Amino acid sequence: MKYLDEYRNPEIARRILDEIHHVTTKPWVIMEICGGQTHSILKNGIDQLLPEQIELVHGPGCPVCVTPLEQIDKALVIAAGEDVIFTSFGDMLRVPGSEKDLLMVKSEGGDVRIVYSPLDAVALARKNPDKKVVFFAVGFETTAPNNAMAVWQAHREGLKNFSILVSHVLVPPAMEALLSSTRNRVQGYLAAGHVCTVMGWEEYIPIAERYKVPIVVTGFEPMDILEGILLTVKQLENGTATVENQYSRIVQREGNRPARDLIGKVFQISDRKWRGIGEIPASGLTLAPKYQEHDAEIVFDVSALKVDEPAECISGEVLQGLKKPFECAAFDTTCTPQTPLGATMVSTEGACSAYYLYDSTSLKKAGLASQETNK
Ligand code: SF4
């Protein structure tokens, strides 16, 4: 299949791998930002094929994983309310809150519906003027344009019964927070190609300069990941720290200007709490004052709700590249995709689910080698 097969070609993969082995002389820790990249790495065994000196650690770029528990609990409270139609993408329905998840609220009679676009939720608000329709707006810069469009459209139509529960986070502040931590191990980044499709890559230039880390905008196919690693290792070995764009077939330097403009109109930058990491200044989005009548936290008065994360889940350390999922005592024992304790196991982009699904080495390290590894 054109534009797919060539990015999964074994001969090209071997050539890039040979070059990575050839240029690597020292140990390096490289973080892929996005959970989609983590799954591609584990699924294709890329981590097993690299030189021993290269360690890949898995970043916080899984929106479901970094959505704080209290935001899930706010969704549960709203979804259980009278005259509410609560809408979400399917991946949020099984994410456990403190006591239940959205599927349980639905089984108890709540009107919880999966939609495929926030504009579907706007259409529901149009058709159901006597109901309050809420969309769970979770995500990074990638989903922000669609959510901004939904709010802009509802506002234009005067649909006061439409609101969104915002849980939007931004990648560059999280990258900076990890680099400025005293526990940081990351020496180079594979930036998330889809985020850069919207935002471009200019905002990474000051980060690369300030922290002296190479940042390579990278796609999601095996060849993309391998080439992104090669470019990063070359920079690390040469002592350079610039931004390079491996994903140039998709990403432009300025990103998608109309999408960025719409985000800038509807949202404003705010502090945001990241699950397991804590609050990072200016790392999220909330609705701009003009659109706050569509802010579900205000409409349903749930902004004061606070809860603590479960102590046994170390997903915060996993998301900062400090630990691997198999170092968690609950991994594949009390925590599995069927019985997830944390969002990194329930999410299809989560690092814990990636190790559970694809990585036999992790099971060996966790002393679980006798169990089935090809789940
Ligand atoms: S294995 Fe489960 S409990 Fe452990 S870090 Fe991952 S999600 Fe949390």
Short mmCIF file of all heavy atoms in Angstrom, two decimals, residues 312-315 318 325 328 330-332 335 341-345 352, ligand 1:
data_model
loop_
_atom_site.label_atom_id
_atom_site.label_comp_id
_atom_site.label_asym_id
_atom_site.label_seq_id
_atom_site.Cartn_x
_atom_site.Cartn_y
_atom_site.Cartn_z
N GLU A 312 -0.46 3.01 44.72
CA GLU A 312 0.24 1.87 44.13
C GLU A 312 0.60 2.05 42.66
O GLU A 312 1.47 1.37 42.13
CB GLU A 312 -0.62 0.61 44.29
CG GLU A 312 -1.93 0.71 43.51
CD GLU A 312 -2.99 -0.25 44.03
OE1 GLU A 312 -2.69 -1.42 44.24
OE2 GLU A 312 -4.13 0.20 44.21
N CYS A 313 -0.07 2.98 41.97
CA CYS A 313 0.17 3.18 40.53
C CYS A 313 1.35 4.14 40.35
O CYS A 313 1.32 5.27 40.82
CB CYS A 313 -1.08 3.74 39.87
SG CYS A 313 -0.85 4.11 38.12
N ILE A 314 2.39 3.67 39.64
CA ILE A 314 3.58 4.50 39.44
C ILE A 314 3.59 5.12 38.04
O ILE A 314 4.64 5.45 37.51
CB ILE A 314 4.87 3.69 39.68
CG1 ILE A 314 4.97 2.53 38.65
CG2 ILE A 314 4.94 3.16 41.10
CD1 ILE A 314 6.37 1.99 38.49
N SER A 315 2.39 5.28 37.46
CA SER A 315 2.34 5.77 36.07
C SER A 315 3.01 7.14 35.92
O SER A 315 3.54 7.45 34.86
CB SER A 315 0.90 5.81 35.57
OG SER A 315 0.13 6.67 36.36
N VAL A 318 6.46 6.40 35.20
CA VAL A 318 6.56 5.83 33.85
C VAL A 318 6.49 6.95 32.81
O VAL A 318 7.28 7.00 31.87
CB VAL A 318 5.42 4.80 33.62
CG1 VAL A 318 5.40 4.33 32.16
CG2 VAL A 318 5.58 3.60 34.55
N PRO A 325 7.15 0.13 32.87
CA PRO A 325 5.94 -0.47 33.44
C PRO A 325 6.20 -1.74 34.23
O PRO A 325 5.57 -1.97 35.27
CB PRO A 325 5.07 -0.74 32.21
CG PRO A 325 5.49 0.33 31.24
CD PRO A 325 6.97 0.50 31.46
N CYS A 328 6.60 -1.81 38.01
CA CYS A 328 5.45 -1.60 38.90
C CYS A 328 5.00 -2.96 39.46
O CYS A 328 4.82 -3.92 38.69
CB CYS A 328 4.31 -0.96 38.10
SG CYS A 328 2.80 -0.82 39.07
N ALA A 330 2.25 -3.88 40.44
CA ALA A 330 0.91 -4.28 40.01
C ALA A 330 0.87 -4.76 38.55
O ALA A 330 -0.11 -5.35 38.11
CB ALA A 330 -0.05 -3.10 40.18
N PHE A 331 1.97 -4.52 37.80
CA PHE A 331 1.99 -4.84 36.37
C PHE A 331 1.73 -6.32 36.14
O PHE A 331 2.45 -7.18 36.64
CB PHE A 331 3.34 -4.44 35.76
CG PHE A 331 3.47 -4.76 34.30
CD1 PHE A 331 2.88 -3.95 33.35
CD2 PHE A 331 4.16 -5.90 33.87
CE1 PHE A 331 2.99 -4.25 31.99
CE2 PHE A 331 4.27 -6.21 32.53
CZ PHE A 331 3.69 -5.37 31.59
N ASP A 332 0.68 -6.61 35.36
CA ASP A 332 0.31 -7.98 34.98
C ASP A 332 -0.02 -8.86 36.18
O ASP A 332 -0.03 -10.08 36.09
CB ASP A 332 1.41 -8.64 34.14
CG ASP A 332 0.83 -9.76 33.28
OD1 ASP A 332 -0.41 -9.82 33.15
OD2 ASP A 332 1.60 -10.57 32.76
N CYS A 335 -2.95 -5.40 37.90
CA CYS A 335 -3.25 -4.42 36.84
C CYS A 335 -3.03 -5.02 35.46
O CYS A 335 -1.90 -5.38 35.10
CB CYS A 335 -2.37 -3.18 37.04
SG CYS A 335 -2.74 -1.86 35.86
N LEU A 341 -5.59 -0.48 36.78
CA LEU A 341 -5.55 0.38 37.96
C LEU A 341 -5.22 1.81 37.57
O LEU A 341 -5.57 2.75 38.27
CB LEU A 341 -4.48 -0.12 38.95
CG LEU A 341 -4.74 -1.45 39.64
CD1 LEU A 341 -3.60 -1.78 40.58
CD2 LEU A 341 -6.05 -1.38 40.44
N GLY A 342 -4.51 1.97 36.48
CA GLY A 342 -4.11 3.31 36.06
C GLY A 342 -4.39 3.52 34.58
O GLY A 342 -4.57 2.56 33.82
N ALA A 343 -4.40 4.78 34.19
CA ALA A 343 -4.76 5.11 32.81
C ALA A 343 -3.73 4.61 31.80
O ALA A 343 -4.06 4.36 30.64
CB ALA A 343 -4.92 6.62 32.68
N THR A 344 -2.47 4.44 32.22
CA THR A 344 -1.47 3.95 31.26
C THR A 344 -1.69 2.48 30.90
O THR A 344 -1.10 1.98 29.96
CB THR A 344 -0.03 4.12 31.82
OG1 THR A 344 -0.05 3.79 33.20
CG2 THR A 344 0.47 5.52 31.64
N MET A 345 -2.54 1.78 31.65
CA MET A 345 -2.89 0.41 31.28
C MET A 345 -4.20 0.37 30.48
O MET A 345 -4.37 -0.44 29.59
CB MET A 345 -3.03 -0.47 32.53
CG MET A 345 -3.26 -1.95 32.24
SD MET A 345 -1.93 -2.71 31.28
CE MET A 345 -0.90 -3.40 32.58
N CYS A 352 1.96 1.17 29.71
CA CYS A 352 1.75 -0.10 30.40
C CYS A 352 1.02 -1.09 29.51
O CYS A 352 1.38 -2.28 29.46
CB CYS A 352 0.99 0.13 31.70
SG CYS A 352 1.92 1.13 32.88
S1 SF4 B 1 0.98 -1.31 35.63
FE1 SF4 B 1 -1.00 -0.39 36.26
S2 SF4 B 1 -0.70 0.28 38.37
FE2 SF4 B 1 1.34 -0.03 37.46
S3 SF4 B 1 1.95 1.96 36.60
FE3 SF4 B 1 0.95 0.86 34.97
S4 SF4 B 1 -1.21 1.51 35.09
FE4 SF4 B 1 -0.26 2.07 37.07
#
